[in-house]
Amino acid sequence: MSPNELIKQALLCFNQHQLERGTQLIKQAADLGDAAAVLYYGDLLFKENKSAAYTYFEKQFHLGVPGTLHRKALLQFFFDRQKRSAALTDVFSDLQHEVARGDLQSVFALMTLVSEPKHLQYYQHMLHKLLPELARELFLDIDYATVNTQKPTYKALLADFLATTAKYEEFELVHLSSEIDLTLAKNALSALECQYIKLRFTSLLKPSMIVDPKTGVAAQNSYRTGSMVALNPEYLDWILLGIEWKMSAFAKFPREHGEVTNLIHYDSQQRYLPHYDAFVGDKITMQTLLQNGGQRSITVLCYLNSVSSGGETEFPNLGVKVIPRQGDMLMFRNIDANDHVLTGSYHAGLPVISGAKWVLSKWARQAVSDYGRVVYC
């Protein structure tokens, strides 16, 4: 049986909750040298025995399987809560080994984890060598003919990496309203993170929908224009995981409480009329909606570009308008301690007058969400 067929059979087993048999089939595909199966099996092993998974990824790297040390580093950094701090040097070493082999995702990861301009330029140059067209799209203002291509020392890069990750959860906060804890984190995302998300997911955008809470049916509605895409677990990579980490650290909710992150795009004159993010409805409707982790307690928005004119996030009951600026994150609470909807959370995305508006949105539930259960538990 070919690796592809083994993987198909494994997925059928997983859908039927035959976990042991599915894992055996994935391992067989991995043993045949299928790179995707190697990563998949390593992920499954990680849930049972983290140390064994790390050893497995290291062995596969030395056998020439691409991306294995990147996956090891990603799991240590984002999912190994007990050993993350102690393993940062190993994470950097693994990513550097992958960069030396031309691994694109490791280049992206390290570009988000260094702060010194000369070190960022070094990784930008590496990206330009691998994919020059993508590099030019990500960094529109760079003349690569003038970029310093001299490789920094390993010691200098590591020191920058450790200093940058030590500040991973530090934000410049502006408090806008105590009524709903409306807070802005300025420049929380880098220009690279913002541009990367737009470039990667633009082709997946579809017209925005509104879900009828009684029927569960999504349909287009003039109340909400624009387009969006849900960034489901299969899209998660280092940059998107990093953004989700920052969202949860900024708004102080466990990552497993978050719903899926949405990418939203508004063209000129598109908008979202005033609404609540918290669920409202009759008793039967609410029982259904609250099964997925409870009420939507917190909203986080990440602005991926600065809008030329219009596009503010307005809170009419508070008399507050927030101007979208690239890299800023905004959070607010939707319910109080007694689960009552906060009237101050009533908000709108005002029409874009000039240019376009790009934003990431995430809702956090009171408990573990379906998305959080799949990704973070």
Side-chain angles (χ1 to χ4, degrees):
M1 196 178 294
S2 70
N4 284 342
E5 186 60 31
L6 287 166
I7 293 172
K8 288 180 182 178
Q9 291 295 322
L11 294 177
L12 287 175
C13 289
F14 291 142
N15 288 336
Q16 296 169 2
H17 304 288
Q18 299 173 12
L19 302 183
E20 184 174 348
R21 177 58 179 161
T23 301
Q24 290 174 350
L25 291 169
I26 289 293
K27 188 177 187 306
Q28 289 179 36
D31 291 342
L32 291 174
D34 185 89
V38 167
L39 297 178
Y40 198 163
Y41 178 68
D43 289 347
L44 295 171
L45 189 59
F46 179 80
K47 293 184 178 182
E48 301 297 326
N49 187 326
K50 293 180 175 58
S51 296
Y54 298 150
T55 301
Y56 176 77
F57 282 128
E58 290 168 359
K59 178 182 178 181
Q60 294 299 317
F61 176 80
H62 292 299
L63 291 174
V65 180
T68 49
L69 286 189
H70 176 87
R71 183 61 62 89
K72 176 193 170 204
L74 182 147
L75 291 171
Q76 283 187 307
F77 191 85
F78 291 108
F79 297 97
D80 195 342
R81 302 184 184 189
Q82 292 182 331
K83 296 184 178 179
R84 178 181 177 271
S85 297
L88 284 176
T89 299
D90 290 339
V91 169
F92 177 77
S93 175
D94 288 340
L95 292 175
Q96 278 293 101
H97 277 102
E98 290 282 24
V99 168
R101 285 195 180 180
D103 181 68
L104 187 64
Q105 288 300 318
S106 295
V107 175
F108 282 132
L110 285 169
M111 280 195 292
T112 67
L113 296 170
V114 296
S115 303
E116 292 288 338
K118 61 182 178 181
H119 297 158
L120 179 58
Q121 278 196 353
Y122 164 68
Y123 292 117
Q124 288 170 338
H125 172 67
M126 294 294 295
L127 175 61
H128 189 257
K129 286 173 59 179
L130 294 169
L131 281 175
E133 292 185 3
L134 177 59
R136 285 192 289 268
E137 285 187 280
L138 280 171
F139 303 102
L140 300 175
D141 57 344
I142 291 180
D143 179 2
Y144 283 94
T146 65
V147 169
N148 182 7
T149 60
Q150 183 177 358
K151 182 178 180 178
T153 66
Y154 182 92
K155 183 178 179 180
L157 288 170
L158 174 59
D160 190 3
F161 171 87
L162 293 174
T164 302
T165 53
K167 300 177 181 178
Y168 206 67
E169 297 182 358
E170 294 182 5
F171 305 100
E172 181 185 349
L173 302 180
V174 179
H175 298 285
L176 303 175
S177 170
S178 60
E179 185 174 331
I180 59 170
D181 199 15
L182 183 64
T183 306
L184 190 72
K186 300 181 67 175
N187 298 308
L189 302 184
S190 67
L192 165 66
E193 290 169 315
C194 295
Q195 186 70 352
Y196 175 91
I197 294 296
K198 290 188 291 180
L199 285 176
R200 185 178 175 201
F201 297 112
T202 293
S203 63
L204 302 178
L205 291 168
K206 294 183 178 180
S208 295
M209 304 281 191
I210 292 180
V211 176
D212 186 323
K214 293 186 177 181
T215 65
V217 176
Q220 288 182 253
N221 190 306
S222 59
Y223 206 86
R224 180 186 191 184
T225 53
S227 53
M228 66 170 292
V229 57
L231 304 182
N232 293 317
E234 61 265 31
Y235 298 125
L236 287 172
D237 60 9
W238 195 290
I239 289 183
L240 187 50
L241 281 167
I243 292 173
E244 291 203 341
W245 180 308
K246 291 180 181 180
M247 286 177 165
S248 67
F250 162 50
K252 295 182 174 58
F253 65 85
R255 285 179 293 164
E256 58 268 28
H257 288 199
E259 292 186 40
V260 65
T261 300
N262 295 300
L263 173 63
I264 305 168
H265 173 253
Y266 298 95
D267 274 327
S268 179
Q269 300 308 312
Q270 292 183 326
R271 79 289 181 271
Y272 196 168
L273 293 176
H275 61 282
Y276 289 107
D277 285 344
F279 297 122
V280 293
D282 58 49
K283 185 176 180 179
I284 295 177
T285 299
M286 291 295 289
Q287 285 178 342
T288 301
L289 293 171
L290 298 179
Q291 287 178 355
N292 180 14
Q295 183 61 277
R296 286 174 171 168
S297 57
I298 295 173
T299 295
V300 182
L301 303 176
C302 301
Y303 301 112
L304 302 182
N305 72 310
S306 298
V307 181
S308 300
S309 180
E312 300 93 341
T313 304
E314 181 185 34
F315 296 83
N317 294 339
L318 301 178
V320 174
K321 291 182 182 180
V322 181
I323 298 172
R325 292 192 172 91
Q326 185 185 66
D328 287 356
M329 289 198 298
L330 182 72
M331 68 83 63
F332 54 91
R333 300 193 180 279
N334 297 304
I335 57 174
D336 64 18
N338 296 314
D339 297 347
H340 298 142
V341 176
L342 291 165
T343 58
S345 69
Y346 192 62
H347 64 287
L350 296 184
V352 174
I353 297 173
S354 177
K357 177 182 176 182
W358 293 85
V359 61
L360 290 174
S361 72
K362 180 177 281 291
W363 296 300
R365 299 289 187 113
Q366 294 169 299
V368 177
S369 67
D370 292 344
Y371 174 81
R373 188 173 293 105
V374 170
V375 176
Y376 293 110
C377 293

